[in-house]
Amino acid sequence: METEFLTLPHPRLHLRKFVLCPLAEIAPNFVHPVLQRDISDILANCEDQCEAKRWDPNRRVPGLEPVNS
Protein backbone atom coordinates (compact mmCIF):
# COMPACT_ATOMS: atom_id res chain seq x y z
CA MET A 1 0.00 0.00 0.00
CA GLU A 2 1.33 3.40 -0.85
CA THR A 3 -0.23 6.81 -0.39
CA GLU A 4 1.11 10.33 -0.21
CA PHE A 5 1.58 9.95 3.56
CA LEU A 6 2.08 6.23 4.14
CA THR A 7 3.99 3.30 2.66
CA LEU A 8 3.29 -0.23 3.92
CA PRO A 9 5.39 -2.11 4.58
CA HIS A 10 7.87 0.52 5.67
CA PRO A 11 10.63 0.76 3.04
CA ARG A 12 13.38 0.03 5.60
CA LEU A 13 11.55 -2.54 7.74
CA HIS A 14 14.03 -5.23 6.65
CA LEU A 15 16.95 -3.20 8.04
CA ARG A 16 15.66 -2.77 11.61
CA LYS A 17 15.94 -5.48 14.26
CA PHE A 18 13.68 -3.57 16.64
CA VAL A 19 10.90 -4.18 14.10
CA LEU A 20 11.93 -7.62 12.87
CA CYS A 21 12.35 -9.30 16.28
CA PRO A 22 8.78 -8.80 17.53
CA LEU A 23 7.39 -9.47 14.06
CA ALA A 24 9.34 -12.75 13.92
CA GLU A 25 7.83 -13.74 17.28
CA ILE A 26 4.27 -13.33 16.11
CA ALA A 27 4.59 -14.19 12.40
CA PRO A 28 7.95 -15.85 11.56
CA ASN A 29 6.63 -17.33 8.31
CA PHE A 30 4.99 -14.14 7.08
CA VAL A 31 6.33 -13.37 3.61
CA HIS A 32 7.39 -9.78 3.04
CA PRO A 33 5.20 -8.63 0.13
CA VAL A 34 8.00 -6.75 -1.66
CA LEU A 35 11.09 -8.84 -0.86
CA GLN A 36 9.24 -12.18 -1.13
CA ARG A 37 11.20 -13.59 1.85
CA ASP A 38 9.84 -14.75 5.17
CA ILE A 39 10.45 -12.62 8.25
CA SER A 40 12.62 -15.19 10.04
CA ASP A 41 14.95 -15.31 7.01
CA ILE A 42 15.12 -11.52 6.80
CA LEU A 43 15.92 -11.33 10.53
CA ALA A 44 18.59 -14.03 10.28
CA ASN A 45 20.35 -12.02 7.56
CA CYS A 46 19.79 -8.54 9.01
CA GLU A 47 23.02 -6.59 9.43
CA ASP A 48 21.61 -4.23 12.08
CA GLN A 49 24.03 -4.32 15.03
CA CYS A 50 21.49 -3.02 17.57
CA GLU A 51 20.31 -5.35 20.28
CA ALA A 52 16.58 -5.86 20.29
CA LYS A 53 15.15 -7.46 23.41
CA ARG A 54 11.82 -7.71 25.14
CA TRP A 55 11.03 -4.87 27.53
CA ASP A 56 10.31 -5.88 31.11
CA PRO A 57 8.21 -3.17 32.77
CA ASN A 58 9.04 -4.61 36.21
CA ARG A 59 12.82 -4.52 35.78
CA ARG A 60 14.48 -1.87 37.91
CA VAL A 61 17.14 0.25 36.27
CA PRO A 62 20.18 0.77 38.54
CA GLY A 63 20.44 4.38 39.69
CA LEU A 64 16.90 5.21 38.64
CA GLU A 65 14.48 5.35 41.54
CA PRO A 66 10.71 5.16 41.04
CA VAL A 67 8.80 8.43 41.35
CA ASN A 68 6.44 8.48 44.34
CA SER A 69 3.19 10.34 43.86
Side-chain angles (χ1 to χ4, degrees), residues 51-68:
E51 181 180 359
K53 58 185 175 182
R54 185 182 299 257
W55 176 63
D56 178 359
N58 298 312
R59 186 177 142 255
R60 298 190 77 163
V61 177
L64 187 62
E65 296 303 318
V67 176
N68 294 326

Side-chain angles (χ1 to χ4, degrees), residues 14-17 20 42-50:
H14 63 288
L15 302 174
R16 309 283 197 252
K17 279 189 179 176
L20 292 171
I42 295 171
L43 177 58
N45 293 291
C46 182
E47 295 181 5
D48 186 358
Q49 298 298 310
C50 293

Side-chain angles (χ1 to χ4, degrees), residues 6-57:
L6 179 66
T7 301
L8 295 175
H10 189 281
R12 290 179 300 284
L13 173 144
H14 63 288
L15 302 174
R16 309 283 197 252
K17 279 189 179 176
F18 77 92
V19 175
L20 292 171
C21 287
L23 186 53
E25 284 186 25
I26 62 172
N29 298 318
F30 176 76
V31 176
H32 188 290
V34 176
L35 301 176
Q36 295 300 305
R37 294 168 49 207
D38 64 48
I39 296 302
S40 59
D41 178 53
I42 295 171
L43 177 58
N45 293 291
C46 182
E47 295 181 5
D48 186 358
Q49 298 298 310
C50 293
E51 181 180 359
K53 58 185 175 182
R54 185 182 299 257
W55 176 63
D56 178 359

